Amino acid sequence: MKIFLDTADVKAVRRFAGMGVVDGVTTNPTLLAREGGDPEAAMAEMVGAVAGDVSLEVVSTDSASMIEEGKKLRRHGGNVVVKVPMTSDGLRACSALSSEEIPVNVTLVFSANQALLAAKAGAAYVSPFIGRLDDAGQDGMGLVRDMAEIFENYEMGAEILVASVRHPVHVLEAAKAGADVATVPPAVLEKMLRHPLTDIGLAAFLADWEAARAARAGK
Ligand code: E4P
């Protein structure tokens, strides 16, 4: 399963990309607004920071403007994926952009029927928001499992991009459910790489090494 970073924080992208664990980035207007500064500059930096796909979201709501905005966003780089919302206009824009070989990520997907329509409209990625479904008392991961079954049944080309990830168990469950990608906030990726037994084990190795070195020096 690919791991994308869900952020507009370029420093975080560079830090984790340097570890070789980032396959791409997703961002959204909220994340860009949270960072402050010039969103265009932030998007350009993000696109240059990783070789993989970077989803940049349109803020237009009618299909003609979404298509125009999507084409503008693509000028940031060949790895830009245009993110459109799961609306009728979003599907129209998805179909038009996809037919021009511009990859599209359909976002804000909360049901299997929405996912099916997004895949039929030619989406490269379909993004179920599992954390928000869990927050609403529904089974977010159940949606991912349904999508995996449907996409496999009909050999649909769209990739399942699990979004709205809240904790490392979501990532694990997404991988077990057969998701293609999980997009993960930097704080969750940080938790994924840590384990207290790793820290305890490393401290013990270094202490034993130091004690042996001191003993040799004392002879
Ligand atoms: C994905 O593309 C979205 O940016 C993101 O996962 C939304 O997550 P949230 O529910 O934490 O806002």
Side-chain angles (χ1 to χ4, degrees), residues 30-59:
T30 302
L31 292 170
L32 282 159
R34 197 178 292 159
E35 288 304 310
D38 175 10
E40 286 298 325
M43 287 192 273
E45 266 195 276
M46 204 78 72
V47 170
V50 287
D53 287 349
V54 178
S55 286
L56 301 179
E57 190 161 341
V58 301
V59 288

Side-chain angles (χ1 to χ4, degrees), residues 102-126:
I102 295 176
V104 175
N105 173 359
V106 176
T107 191
L108 290 167
V109 167
F110 293 96
S111 76
N113 275 331
Q114 288 182 321
L116 176 61
L117 294 178
K120 283 183 73 72
Y125 296 105
V126 180

Side-chain angles (χ1 to χ4, degrees), residues 4-217:
F4 286 3
L5 260 189
D6 193 28
T7 189
D9 177 353
V10 184
K11 275 195 201 136
V13 172
R14 293 214 172 97
R15 174 170 131 68
F16 287 108
M19 296 179 202
V21 297
V22 177
D23 300 299
V25 175
T26 55
T27 188
N28 66 39
T30 302
L31 292 170
L32 282 159
R34 197 178 292 159
E35 288 304 310
D38 175 10
E40 286 298 325
M43 287 192 273
E45 266 195 276
M46 204 78 72
V47 170
V50 287
D53 287 349
V54 178
S55 286
L56 301 179
E57 190 161 341
V58 301
V59 288
S60 314
T61 52
D62 68 277
S63 59
S65 309
M66 283 183 195
I67 294 165
E68 195 186 323
E69 197 186 338
K71 287 180 180 174
K72 263 190 209 143
L73 289 172
R74 277 281 286 186
R75 287 191 207 137
H76 285 298
N79 55 340
V80 169
V81 174
V82 178
K83 208 178 184 191
V84 304
M86 178 56 222
T87 59
S88 51
D89 279 276
L91 289 184
R92 252 181 241 114
C94 175
S95 175
L97 290 166
S98 303
S99 68
E100 292 187 42
E101 308 292 325
I102 295 176
V104 175
N105 173 359
V106 176
T107 191
L108 290 167
V109 167
F110 293 96
S111 76
N113 275 331
Q114 288 182 321
L116 176 61
L117 294 178
K120 283 183 73 72
Y125 296 105
V126 180
S127 295
F129 273 41
I130 56 164
R132 293 193 195 187
L133 276 172
D134 288 355
D135 291 346
Q138 294 180 41
D139 180 11
M141 209 49 71
L143 171 57
V144 177
R145 283 190 287 272
D146 283 349
M147 287 173 63
E149 189 179 340
I150 293 165
F151 287 11
E152 192 184 327
N153 280 351
Y154 300 103
E155 296 177 357
M156 299 184 113
E159 293 193 41
I160 302 172
L161 195 168
V162 172
S164 189
V165 165
R166 300 275 195 259
H167 48 70
V169 176
H170 271 157
V171 182
L172 187 62
E173 292 295 321
K176 281 159 62 178
D180 300 285
V181 190
T183 190
V184 179
V188 174
L189 194 45
E190 193 72 51
K191 285 181 190 160
M192 286 167 65
L193 74 83
R194 296 196 180 284
H195 195 287
L197 290 178
T198 304
D199 299 338
I200 291 167
L202 179 59
F205 284 154
L206 295 179
D208 289 346
W209 185 257
E210 187 50 37
R213 196 194 61 81
R216 276 198 309 275

